[in-house]
Amino acid sequence: MGFASLSSGVIARIMNGDDVVKPVLQILAIKKINSNADAERYRILISDGKYFNSYAMLASQLNEMQHKGQLDEFTIVQLDKYVTSMVGKDGAGKRVLIISELTVLNAGAEVKEKIGEPVTYENAAKQDKVAKAAPPVVPKKEVTQSNNNNNNNITLNASIGAGMTHPISSLSPYQNKWVIKARVTSKTGIRTWSNPRGEGKLFSMDLMDESGEIRATAFKEQCDKYFDMIQVDSVYFFSKCQLKPANKQFSQLNNAYEMTFTGETAVQLCEDADDGAIPDIKYNLVPISEVSGMENKAAVDTIGICKEVGELQAFTSRTTNKEFKKRDLTLVDMSNSAISLTLWGDDAVNFDGHVQPVILVKGTRINEFNGGKSLSLGGGSIMKINPDIPEAHKLRGWFDNGGGDNVANMVSARTGGGSFSTDWMTLKDARARNLGSGDKPDYFQCKAVVHIVKQENAFYRACPQADCNKKVVDEGNDQYRCERCNALYPNFKYRLLVNMSVGDWTSNRWVTCFNETGEQLLKHTSQEIGEALENDPTKAEEIFSALNFTSHIFKLRCKNEVYGDMTRNKLTVQSVGPLNHKEYNRHLLKELKELTGIGSSSN
DNA sequence: CCCCCCCC
């Protein structure tokens, strides 16, 4: 026929626990498992030409192949990696086949038909005597008792002894007799909470096996009992956790459920985890330069040298009033790029960056600010310091030989698209390049001189509350109403909203300064400026005219805004700085080099 | 039962 021949009869052997290397099978059907779970999962009917098995599933990393139509009916595949596992109640459990790696040998469209007349392996196996006796459900004698004082490891040991663990993907709240064998991929620190419903402490961990992943959380007593035992990268047997729907708002894990440890929960370290069944943590390492082009809030795995380390900072969140500790690092890599990485809590406190270690991170989040992107290590993220992997040794060699000395691309730099070379722009170029016409604002900086500063409407009366800057309504009788706070106040504060025309050597534009940049440029507080504009025109004139014909470096935000049926390209001053001649001349020299080719890289 | 990660 010209197609790969099927490994006739192997399904019965596989399902009885034999280790069959790379069997060749045919997919007869594939369908999405219907459940109220959000996790996407496919069940397949697979045949060796003699037997079929309808209790087979794809590990989620193969979903992509199904999306691409590579696993259609009649496709002949080679299973490169698979495990069998028990689902269902003890004793009456079904053994399922979970496929985690496969190679397509012949496309279904090419094969076009079912090969052979396969029958279900369960019936056939009895007649055929291919199958050995079912695996024993009694514990093996040599299973060691755990030394962690679990008093509930009877189910655990019985299952371990019988080699009957369950795939994570089969866990649900409807069934609690199970044992999973899973690798811990991340672990949070211990966190305490206190709210109207009570207080306590907890830590969470992410678990992974061949079939999928799940978040588990240990509260209070369980938090104390298991925190030290649970180590990232180790493999454990877990049983008797409570399952509940995962709140997708807080978890990016591919599982509709999450688990909570209970008093019944048993955990046991798996000493011989190197049997290949539990996958290693996979790092999808991205060069730092590529983070520039990634979406805000996306997850990033990367590796770099900690070139610089910031001080430990403690602060209180303005929104939640909680205390936080953080530390910012600067990572550099061979893409000649640098990015800021924020550590939190104990990671921040305990970090020693002065030795410039290699930092490997998984699952960090991108935070975008003013066009720059930085990374933050959050819950579910992993950080490894000086990991023993080839990429780390390569980076070490590169950096120790001066590799990080000429980092050109500051991914976390504010303004601009993340590249220093696009940072500077003339006002004319900003127009010519249609800056601000996209969904997101564009940022650039330019050197410009102030031509005119408008005194009209340069301030407004704002809500006196520290965090509310909404314009108040004058109710008369010295009463001011804030519609956001829904409150009446006897006072208000002045806020600046200054429009000025600035020009560089190519063009001039009107730009808007808000409070902070306005105060900085006018060298007076908003209170002083507001009072002068209302009561003392001579002083106001003095303050405003002092700004005329002064030069500054303006960092500008550029965005198209719609007013009625008009679209206007609006420039807002993000920050303003004095003219740094050294830096500005460096920029001019660079442009000259690019324009003339004189003194370019060969020198 | 948490689910917060600020500020620029």
Side-chain angles (χ1 to χ4, degrees), chain A residues 431-488:
Chain A
R431 277 268 197 229
R433 296 185 197 180
N434 278 324
L435 248 60
S437 53
D439 291 343
K440 288 178 203 156
D442 292 309
Y443 298 86
F444 69 100
Q445 64 178 330
C446 69
K447 175 194 166 247
V449 61
V450 177
H451 290 157
I452 311 160
V453 190
K454 268 174 58 167
Q455 294 186 29
E456 296 76 40
N457 301 318
F459 72 91
Y460 64 95
R461 293 169 170 191
C463 175
Q465 292 297 317
D467 296 324
C468 180
N469 296 322
K470 184 147 178 69
K471 188 173 178 175
V472 290
V473 180
D474 189 346
E475 299 274 293
N477 308 326
D478 290 329
Q479 297 274 296
Y480 303 91
R481 186 160 53 84
C482 173
E483 288 176 337
R484 180 178 297 163
C485 302
N486 197 23
L488 270 179

Side-chain angles (χ1 to χ4, degrees), chain A residues 12-198:
Chain A
R13 289 173 51 209
I14 290 169
M15 298 313 287
N16 279 290
D18 279 14
D19 185 19
V20 179
V21 178
K22 302 198 172 183
V24 176
L25 304 172
Q26 185 183 33
I27 294 171
L28 296 181
I30 181 160
K31 66 170 184 181
K32 212 174 200 165
I33 294 173
N34 280 330
S35 69
N36 52 3
D38 295 344
E40 180 187 356
R41 196 153 293 284
Y42 291 95
R43 177 171 169 177
I44 62 175
L45 177 62
I46 198 159
S47 157
D48 61 21
K50 191 169 180 182
Y51 305 121
F52 66 74
N53 180 5
S54 62
Y55 292 97
M57 288 195 323
L58 294 182
S60 55
Q61 65 265 32
L62 297 184
N63 289 354
E64 189 61 26
M65 294 186 82
Q66 161 65 2
H67 299 161
K68 291 180 182 162
Q70 294 169 349
L71 303 176
D72 290 348
E73 192 182 22
F74 308 135
T75 303
I76 298 177
V77 297
Q78 171 182 293
L79 307 196
D80 299 317
K81 211 167 177 188
Y82 63 89
V83 290
T84 63
S85 192
M86 296 302 291
V87 295
K89 291 195 179 72
D90 269 10
K94 277 276 183 206
R95 190 174 277 269
V96 299
L97 173 67
I98 299 157
I99 302 163
S100 56
E101 283 176 30
L102 61 75
T103 308
V104 172
L105 301 180
N106 299 101
E110 191 189 326
V111 181
K112 291 197 188 78
E113 60 180 7
K114 180 170 78 174
I115 297 168
E117 285 299 330
V119 294
T120 174
Y121 80 92
E122 288 150 307
N123 295 339
K126 290 169 195 159
Q127 308 158 8
D128 224 45
K129 298 187 176 75
V130 173
K132 295 168 188 159
V137 185
V138 288
K140 285 182 187 168
K141 287 285 189 295
E142 60 270 26
V143 169
T144 51
Q145 293 294 311
S146 63
N147 55 4
N148 61 354
N149 298 326
N150 280 328
N151 55 8
N152 206 302
N153 47 20
I154 299 156
T155 312
L156 193 63
N157 283 341
S159 299
I160 297 165
M164 295 207 310
T165 58
H166 296 67
I168 285 175
S169 62
S170 75
L171 301 185
S172 79
Y174 314 112
Q175 202 283 100
N176 65 0
K177 297 275 177 101
W178 48 259
V179 177
I180 59 167
K181 179 180 177 183
R183 191 180 300 280
V184 175
T185 60
S186 73
K187 170 189 168 186
T188 69
I190 293 178
R191 193 168 69 231
T192 57
W193 83 88
S194 175
N195 63 30
R197 291 182 298 280

Side-chain angles (χ1 to χ4, degrees), chain A residues 308-315 325-329 340-354 375:
Chain A
E308 286 161 35
V309 56
E311 293 299 310
L312 182 69
Q313 299 172 56
F315 62 91
K325 285 180 181 143
K326 70 154 206 173
R327 191 193 294 274
D328 291 331
L329 319 182
S340 165
L341 169 71
T342 304
L343 310 184
W344 298 91
D346 287 345
D347 283 331
V349 173
N350 301 328
F351 189 78
D352 177 13
H354 295 97
L375 301 177

